[in-house]
Amino acid sequence: MLIFLMPIVLGNLFQQLYTIVDSAVVGRFVGAAALAAIGASYALTTVFIMVANGGGIGASVIVSRYFGAKKYARMKTAAFTAIFTFLVVSVLLGGAGLLFSRRLMLFFHTPAESLETALVYLNIYFMGLPFLFMYNVFSCLFNAAGKSKIPLYFLIFSSVLNMLLDVVFVTRFGWGVAGVAWATLLAQGLSAVLSFIVYLRHIRELESEPFALFDTRELKDMVHLAIPSIFQQSTVSIGMLFVQGVVNSFGADALAGYSATLRLEQIAVVPMNSIGTALSSYTAQNIGAQKLDRVRKGYRAALLLVCAFAVIDAAWMEIFHAPLVRLFMSDNNPSAVAFATGDAYIRYIGWFFGIIGIKMATDGLLRGAGDTLMFTLANLVNLGIRVSLSVIFAPRYGIHIIWMVVPLGWLANFAVSFSAYASGKWERNYRGA
């Protein structure tokens, strides 16, 4: 589990570097208002990232089962069906995003001083959405075939390229927020194209009978798993999107601090999310190979890894909270409100990542076993708690309520998911009991 997991963790960490570097470069070289603009866009862009991740994971469960059962022709058909489907979906979503970006930003009460800058960033992002989708789908397909190192290599390459382009476009060309958006688009675009070329070579190496490039039956099976998986992956982001309107009401400085800490939170969540992703593929592969006992062993190993990562998260956030928040602040014109907001958030949330870790591990197992109903219900509970408590109590008692209720949603999610795992229904389905 650890050997399979670490490339996924490192890959997801490098993927987070896109937004981390974008925010750090803008915050230090352009200013707090520009950082707030990216922050205003972040919740919405993360929803699309999670849609891509969730769809890819849903598809990878099908591909993993065929790979575990050595049914390579059906595996190839499923893989190409996923590629073509998500390419079409990404183009449609990108076009819709361009049409409705202003309305969405106004709906979520984006501060007036950040609105136009946020739209510049958001519209460039939507133009590059097909590249984002295709890269994430290819990463999941590589993981499904046990090739988790390949996406890592591409992510290292694209992350380094993105950092270099950020600095050049912002500090040399003076493009501001548009510069970091174009840097991300170019880096992800090149990575997506290279991933496609390498995946084609990998597919050709697997000997099989003739296969189809598209199959509606495979698409139906993928949709059955992908839709709940998309919802599970995007629950946090959907919650952030609704909560964003509440945060925006506290002003651009508070939004800048909140946005900075969201970047740090996303880094802390990466190992936990990766454990869930790895356990999905691990579960699906072992179910395909009829080795159900290994699923429970893998789950126990995943929980041990969660505990280790949770201790690490708590330590680095508690020790380095102040310099981490200042990383996103301009030395020449720091905002006391922005720093206080970000610092309070990071010092609180750092102690609770073990909860989201066990939640994501349990959700990952259920997803890999095809139990879409229970983890969908669990994430609905999570979303409902976070959004309702934030909307009701934050305007009355302060912005700190927004991050104080986060662990409550995670804990409720885990309780529902674990009850489904403990019932053993997912296992009896495959044992024929």
Side-chain angles (χ1 to χ4, degrees), residues 178-198:
V180 299
W182 281 115
T184 299
L185 187 153
L186 292 172
Q188 287 185 338
L190 183 57
S191 184
V193 172
L194 293 175
S195 295
F196 177 61
I197 294 172
V198 173

Side-chain angles (χ1 to χ4, degrees), residues 57 61 225 229 232-233 276-277 280 363-370 375:
I57 291 172
V61 169
L225 287 171
S229 182
Q232 188 270 339
Q233 287 285 301
T277 301
S280 286
D363 284 349
L365 186 150
L366 295 177
R367 182 174 55 235
F375 80 72

Side-chain angles (χ1 to χ4, degrees), residues 303-420:
L303 295 184
L304 291 175
L305 291 171
V306 165
C307 292
F309 283 119
V311 171
I312 295 171
D313 281 342
W316 69 263
M317 284 194 161
E318 180 63 24
I319 295 171
F320 302 109
H321 58 92
L324 285 169
V325 175
R326 289 196 182 99
L327 178 67
F328 299 90
M329 307 294 170
S330 170
D331 291 334
N332 298 325
N333 187 28
S335 167
V337 173
F339 176 79
T341 302
D343 192 60
Y345 186 174
I346 192 174
R347 296 197 69 182
Y348 174 81
I349 204 66
W351 299 100
F352 297 100
F353 286 106
I355 300 176
I356 194 173
I358 58 177
K359 155 198 141 40
M360 287 185 165
T362 311
D363 284 349
L365 186 150
L366 295 177
R367 182 174 55 235
D371 190 348
T372 59
L373 177 61
M374 290 307 296
F375 80 72
T376 301
L377 175 62
N379 283 276
L380 274 173
V381 171
N382 178 17
L383 178 62
I385 290 174
R386 294 185 59 180
V387 173
S388 61
L389 294 180
S390 296
V391 171
I392 293 170
F393 293 109
R396 184 178 302 176
Y397 296 107
I399 193 173
H400 62 281
I401 297 296
I402 291 171
W403 53 80
M404 289 185 69
V405 302
V406 170
L408 296 177
W410 292 345
L411 185 60
N413 188 153
F414 168 69
V416 176
S417 295
F418 185 77
S419 66

Side-chain angles (χ1 to χ4, degrees), residues 30 39 45 50 76 96 156 175 245 267 397 406 431:
V30 184
T45 59
M50 293 299 103
K76 293 178 182 181
I156 293 173
W175 289 358
I267 290 180
Y397 296 107
V406 170
R431 291 193 185 278

Side-chain angles (χ1 to χ4, degrees), residues 84-367:
F84 291 134
T85 300
F86 285 108
L87 177 61
V88 173
V89 169
S90 65
V91 171
L92 293 175
L93 288 177
L98 288 170
L99 287 174
F100 298 107
S101 57
R102 179 176 292 274
R103 295 181 184 179
L104 287 169
M105 290 293 96
L106 290 173
F107 178 78
F108 290 108
H109 308 292
T110 303
E113 60 268 38
S114 303
L115 177 61
E116 295 303 323
T117 307
L119 288 172
V120 169
Y121 181 85
L122 198 58
N123 287 334
I124 296 172
Y125 174 89
F126 282 130
M127 286 189 283
L129 198 63
F131 294 127
L132 169 71
F133 262 67
M134 297 318 298
Y135 173 75
N136 279 277
V137 169
F138 285 123
S139 294
C140 292
L141 293 177
F142 279 124
N143 292 336
K147 302 288 186 179
S148 58
K149 292 182 180 179
I150 295 177
L152 172 61
Y153 298 147
F154 283 121
L155 263 177
I156 293 173
F157 163 74
S158 60
S159 297
V160 172
L161 178 60
N162 179 65
M163 288 187 280
L164 294 175
L165 293 177
D166 273 345
V167 174
V168 172
F169 290 168
V170 174
T171 64
R172 296 292 182 89
F173 294 175
W175 289 358
V177 169
V180 299
W182 281 115
T184 299
L185 187 153
L186 292 172
Q188 287 185 338
L190 183 57
S191 184
V193 172
L194 293 175
S195 295
F196 177 61
I197 294 172
V198 173
Y199 192 74
L200 285 181
R201 292 182 61 183
H202 169 68
I203 284 289
R204 290 171 182 169
E205 292 174 357
L206 297 174
E207 295 184 1
S208 70
E209 300 172 354
F211 61 94
L213 294 178
F214 188 87
D215 188 285
T216 55
R217 292 174 299 175
E218 300 294 351
L219 178 60
K220 181 180 179 180
D221 289 341
M222 286 182 197
V223 169
H224 176 72
L225 287 171
I227 290 180
S229 182
I230 287 170
F231 183 81
Q232 188 270 339
Q233 287 285 301
S234 60
T235 294
V236 174
S237 302
I238 293 171
M240 286 166 47
L241 190 58
F242 283 101
V243 170
Q244 188 77 58
V246 180
V247 177
N248 291 342
S249 67
F250 287 91
D253 284 343
L255 174 58
Y258 177 80
S259 301
T261 305
L262 276 182
R263 303 301 189 277
L264 300 172
E265 180 184 322
Q266 290 302 308
I267 290 180
V269 170
V270 161
M272 311 306 183
N273 191 40
S274 301
I275 288 171
T277 301
L279 198 55
S280 286
S281 294
Y282 178 89
T283 299
Q285 288 177 7
N286 280 285
I287 284 175
Q290 297 297 310
K291 297 179 180 179
L292 298 183
D293 292 340
R294 286 178 55 84
V295 175
R296 290 187 180 274
K297 292 179 181 178
Y299 181 62
R300 291 193 291 269
L303 295 184
L304 291 175
L305 291 171
V306 165
C307 292
F309 283 119
V311 171
I312 295 171
D313 281 342
W316 69 263
M317 284 194 161
E318 180 63 24
I319 295 171
F320 302 109
H321 58 92
L324 285 169
V325 175
R326 289 196 182 99
L327 178 67
F328 299 90
M329 307 294 170
S330 170
D331 291 334
N332 298 325
N333 187 28
S335 167
V337 173
F339 176 79
T341 302
D343 192 60
Y345 186 174
I346 192 174
R347 296 197 69 182
Y348 174 81
I349 204 66
W351 299 100
F352 297 100
F353 286 106
I355 300 176
I356 194 173
I358 58 177
K359 155 198 141 40
M360 287 185 165
T362 311
D363 284 349
L365 186 150
L366 295 177
R367 182 174 55 235

